[in-house]
Amino acid sequence: MEEVRSNTITPHSLTLDNRESMRLSGVSDVDSFDEQTIVLFTDLGELTIHGTGLHINKLSLDTGELALDGRIDSLAYSLQARKQQSGGFFASMFK
């Protein structure tokens, strides 16, 4: 059975306090995490967070909320949204 996904974009917001704590909304999945790097997915693309002593305090994929603390050195968005699971561009062309 194929999973049906909505085409609506979940609102995404990011609040960073003194580069020591961050709250995010619109998180759809966490790909990987350790004390130096957290890679997560939003409907607007992949977000990579680099720092030291990073710790996820709260994660709720049902509501799309994530809270973390630690020294946050950089944030980088990538347009590599998770389209591969649904087959991507070519799969939709050849349906």
Side-chain angles (χ1 to χ4, degrees):
M1 177 176 262
E2 187 175 325
E3 180 181 328
V4 177
R5 293 192 69 152
S6 171
N7 285 337
T8 60
I9 294 177
T10 306
H12 174 60
S13 66
L14 182 147
T15 304
L16 179 62
D17 296 318
N18 296 322
R19 292 178 60 183
E20 295 176 349
S21 67
M22 183 165 44
R23 291 178 305 283
L24 297 142
S25 65
V27 175
S28 58
D29 198 7
V30 175
D31 185 48
S32 64
F33 64 93
D34 59 31
E35 290 188 352
Q36 288 82 33
T37 306
I38 298 174
V39 180
L40 55 91
F41 294 99
T42 73
D43 286 343
L44 301 177
E46 180 183 277
L47 173 60
T48 303
I49 303 162
H50 290 284
T52 54
L54 298 178
H55 176 76
I56 296 175
N57 294 321
K58 174 185 175 185
L59 172 62
S60 173
L61 296 179
D62 292 333
T63 62
E65 296 177 2
L66 183 137
L68 65 96
D69 61 11
R71 168 100 178 151
I72 299 162
D73 294 327
S74 71
L75 306 169
Y77 281 94
S78 170
L79 294 178
Q80 296 176 353
R82 294 182 46 178
K83 301 284 185 199
Q84 293 83 7
Q85 288 185 350
S86 63
F89 174 75
F90 290 108
S92 64
M93 292 285 296
F94 297 108
K95 277 189 175 182

